[in-house]
Amino acid sequence: MTRSVRRSRRTRRSTRALRAAGAGAAALLVLSACGSSDSGSSAQSGPAGAGELSGEVIVFAAASLKESFTTLGERFEKEHPGTKVTFSFGGSDALAAGITGGAPADVFASASPRTMAVVTEAGDASGTPQTFVRNQLEIATLPGNPDGISSLEDLTDPGLKVVLCDEAVPCGAAAKKALDASELKLTPVSYEEDVKSALNKVVLKEADAAVVYRTDVKAAGEKVEGVEFPESADAINDYPITLLKESKNSGTAKAFIALVRSAEGQKVLTEAGFLKP
Amino acid sequence: MTSPSDSASSPAREADAPDTLGGGPRRRRVHGGGALRGRRGGVPLPLLLPALIGLVLLVLPLVALLIRAPWRSMPDLLTSPEVWQALRLSLVCATAATAVSLVVGVPLAWLLARVDFPGRGLVRALVTLPLVLPPVVGGVALLMALGRNGVVGQWLDDWFGITLPFTTAGVVLAEAFVAMPFLVISVEGTLRAADPRYEEAAATLGASRFTAFRRVTLPLIAPGVAAGAVLAWARALGEFGATITFAGNFPGRTQTMPLAVYLALQNDPEAAIALSLVLLAVSIAVLAGLRDRWMTAS
């Protein structure tokens, strides 16, 4: 009995200590979650000497850059042994929201100045973003173009299943611009969350056509057929790229941006269907 | 979330009641040890600390949602027609998906619980699979099966001119695919716990198997069915991955609340928080309703 009394007193005394410990543990948990993104690399933010580049660079890039940036990332790793380029591809808006929300990233390449502005206005960019390529819209149709689509106006046929990107993402904003400029009313079956999922609805033959970028049509190869339309000239997207303020490896990140903007990088990008800035 | 209730210890107390045989009253008097006193003295630190961290992990994000909520602009955000459209579609689709699940899920649960057929274990595993499958995978699988170019879908399109992707029916189907296992598992558990002798008695009195199911079994397992239905409904309401993959995103037709939240987050984070709060409120209401159900079901 007495032991239980003693124990209860001890319990009471330790309650206060526990509260403090609990709060401390919670804080620790949060801190360790923030810190766990360190890839253990000796992050050097020193001068970008070619010989001393190392560690990981995390690049947030628009979904439409997937193929070309993956190629450039591999080249970069080959040229600078000891470096690692990690990509996160997605809708530019989701990526921008992630960066302003504190996602760990070194470089941001977006598919429109508007989404880049989200990051610069939040004060997360380091320096001024540079336009490195431009992209034009194209219609992706089923292989062989069975519906005989030859213009943007053909897409307004109610018998066709057309997918567009959501207006929240650059390809959707550009498509809206082109449609508004030509005063066309187009009702799609779906507003997709990024350009690749819009394209894939056509690749899977679930939709008859999608308004996507030239580069996406090119990347899909034989699975879709591209149809150019003149109104796309009214909605050409500039792609800005920037170093991010929170970068833990800015030297290596700068070197990657330099590669993207170099003649070699531009060659890879134009081969993928991008236009020179 | 709730304070420790006394109802848990009441059966023990009843068992203690005929206590005149042994050594006097066995119940120890509790010295005011505060909330941290369990049944056996203090709570050990190695258990309490992780428990508190776990609690913080679960509760903190929801509290943060409330703290960061744009209360002042909430009325404007929530009265916009887009929000109502998405909310209405969500409620309609989740209810329809639950109805579909009830119509085919309850008989399926009965089959699994009451009929001993070869391969029953395999069937049960297959029924449970969508429960653990990532919803996006479910969406892709639905496209492969019922898309315009799918294994079955192409015949639907050729013969009846029915295409399911990008339609409200597609949303209902995606939600039912994800939510039905909850109902089936819940009802099957209730059926297993229910006494089959009532049904046997009904059979000896001349009721057919179906009549016995309708008049005896169904009323018996009603609480379990209701709990399963609420679970399935809540799961359907929150469905995102399978819906956006299979049914796409079109306001008023396939854009449910979770899709609206996801896309709003990219344009207008405040609107996304407001939408999230609506779903959170609905979830809390479901949980509150479910708790009573569980009580009566157990």
Side-chain angles (χ1 to χ4, degrees):
Chain A
M1 274 321 239
T2 46
R3 207 169 46 185
S4 78
V5 172
R6 217 179 305 140
R7 192 187 288 167
S8 83
R9 268 207 206 118
R10 217 184 311 143
T11 312
R12 209 178 321 159
R13 213 176 311 133
S14 57
T15 314
R16 248 171 267 141
L18 269 188
R19 279 209 194 110
L28 257 178
L29 186 78
V30 172
L31 282 176
S32 67
C34 292
S36 65
S37 57
D38 276 359
S39 50
S41 60
S42 55
Q44 298 173 337
S45 44
E52 51 184 273
L53 295 179
S54 68
E56 187 184 29
V57 181
I58 300 169
V59 180
F60 276 29
S64 41
L65 290 163
K66 192 169 179 179
E67 294 79 12
S68 39
F69 264 38
T70 307
T71 307
L72 288 172
E74 282 164 7
R75 283 199 197 180
F76 187 83
E77 286 171 7
K78 217 174 270 166
E79 280 170 30
H80 309 284
T83 60
K84 186 173 179 351
V85 187
T86 308
F87 291 107
S88 173
F89 296 106
S92 297
D93 274 272
L95 296 173
I99 290 166
T100 54
D106 301 298
V107 177
F108 180 41
S110 85
S112 73
R114 186 181 59 81
T115 45
M116 182 55 84
V118 172
V119 172
T120 50
E121 278 165 18
D124 290 326
S126 165
T128 318
Q130 307 283 340
T131 299
F132 66 102
V133 280
R134 299 158 82 215
N135 209 349
Q136 198 162 355
L137 294 174
E138 209 171 75
I139 299 168
T141 70
L142 298 171
N145 196 352
D147 301 298
I149 295 163
S150 62
S151 70
L152 195 58
E153 199 174 348
D154 288 348
L155 295 183
T156 58
D157 175 356
L160 286 180
K161 285 190 192 298
V162 181
V163 293
L164 298 177
C165 299
D166 194 86
E167 277 169 35
V169 271
C171 63
K176 187 178 186 303
K177 211 164 155 186
L179 284 164
D180 287 349
S182 49
E183 292 180 356
L184 287 171
K185 269 262 166 281
L186 170 56
T187 307
V189 289
S190 174
Y191 294 102
E192 294 292 310
E193 75 269 31
D194 72 25
V195 67
K196 290 298 180 192
S197 60
L199 176 81
N200 283 333
K201 290 291 192 279
V202 179
V203 170
L204 291 171
K205 298 189 169 59
E206 291 303 334
D208 300 308
V211 179
V212 293
Y213 295 119
R214 283 176 46 166
T215 49
D216 300 303
V217 173
K218 214 161 183 169
E222 300 291 299
K223 298 189 192 89
V224 300
E225 191 161 311
V227 175
E228 293 184 10
F229 59 101
E231 296 88 343
S232 63
D234 298 326
I236 291 182
N237 265 6
D238 288 356
Y239 279 53
I241 190 167
T242 187
L243 177 72
L244 294 169
K245 209 168 246 162
E246 292 295 306
S247 173
K248 293 193 178 66
N249 198 358
S250 57
T252 313
K254 272 184 192 146
F256 179 77
I257 295 174
L259 171 69
V260 169
R261 302 189 62 208
S262 70
E264 185 190 356
Q266 290 291 308
K267 190 163 167 285
V268 171
L269 288 157
T270 45
E271 274 169 11
F274 285 100
L275 308 168
K276 283 204 165 70
Chain B
M1 253 176 82
T2 54
S3 58
S5 65
D6 282 355
S7 60
S9 58
S10 64
R13 228 172 274 159
E14 277 161 19
D16 279 349
D19 209 29
T20 46
L21 295 168
R26 239 190 296 164
R27 227 176 306 128
R28 274 184 296 135
R29 284 184 52 208
V30 177
H31 300 274
L36 286 176
R37 276 192 69 80
R39 286 181 66 84
R40 305 286 308 269
V43 180
L45 198 62
L47 283 180
L48 187 69
L49 212 55
L52 286 176
I53 291 173
L55 186 67
V56 167
L57 186 68
L58 292 176
V59 177
L60 183 72
L62 302 179
V63 173
L65 199 60
L66 292 173
I67 292 172
R68 294 287 302 272
W71 295 110
R72 209 163 299 161
S73 47
M74 277 290 266
D76 291 343
L77 288 169
L78 292 181
T79 47
S80 73
E82 292 85 15
V83 171
W84 279 109
Q85 207 177 30
L87 185 61
R88 216 190 67 218
L89 187 77
S90 266
L91 296 174
V92 167
C93 286
T95 308
T98 309
V100 170
S101 301
L102 279 169
V103 170
V104 294
V106 173
L108 181 57
W110 179 84
L111 199 70
L112 287 173
R114 287 283 187 268
V115 183
D116 199 0
F117 56 93
R120 183 161 69 160
L122 180 69
V123 172
R124 186 179 297 121
L126 287 174
V127 167
T128 321
L129 194 58
L131 205 77
V132 288
L133 202 70
V136 174
V137 178
V140 174
L142 282 168
L143 266 185
M144 295 305 120
L146 297 164
R148 198 170 59 161
N149 209 35
V151 178
V152 179
Q154 57 185 331
W155 304 114
L156 285 178
D157 191 19
D158 284 353
W159 295 348
F160 309 107
I162 298 172
T163 52
L164 287 165
F166 311 122
T167 63
T168 307
V171 178
V172 174
L173 204 69
E175 289 181 352
F177 178 82
V178 173
M180 201 196 305
F182 281 87
L183 182 87
V184 175
I185 298 303
S186 165
V187 174
E188 198 216 358
T190 315
L191 272 168
R192 286 178 172 283
D195 198 334
R197 281 177 304 181
Y198 290 107
E199 290 158 54
E200 284 158 19
T204 55
L205 295 170
S208 69
R209 212 162 179 191
F210 180 64
T211 309
F213 169 78
R214 204 165 47 92
R215 302 289 300 277
V216 178
T217 317
L218 215 46
L220 204 63
I221 60 165
V225 174
V230 173
L231 260 184
W233 187 82
R235 182 67 192 82
L237 192 76
E239 217 301 308
F240 174 83
T243 309
I244 202 162
T245 313
F246 182 63
N249 165 54
F250 190 87
R253 202 186 310 152
T254 65
Q255 190 182 65
T256 56
M257 281 292 272
L259 270 61
V261 172
Y262 177 77
L263 286 158
L265 194 58
Q266 318 199 351
N267 271 341
D268 186 358
E270 285 206 338
I273 297 170
L275 289 170
S276 301
L277 282 178
V278 173
L279 282 183
L280 182 66
V282 172
S283 306
I284 289 172
V286 165
L287 205 60
L290 201 63
R291 236 181 108 251
D292 299 341
R293 286 281 172 213
W294 283 134
M295 294 298 180
T296 51
S298 55

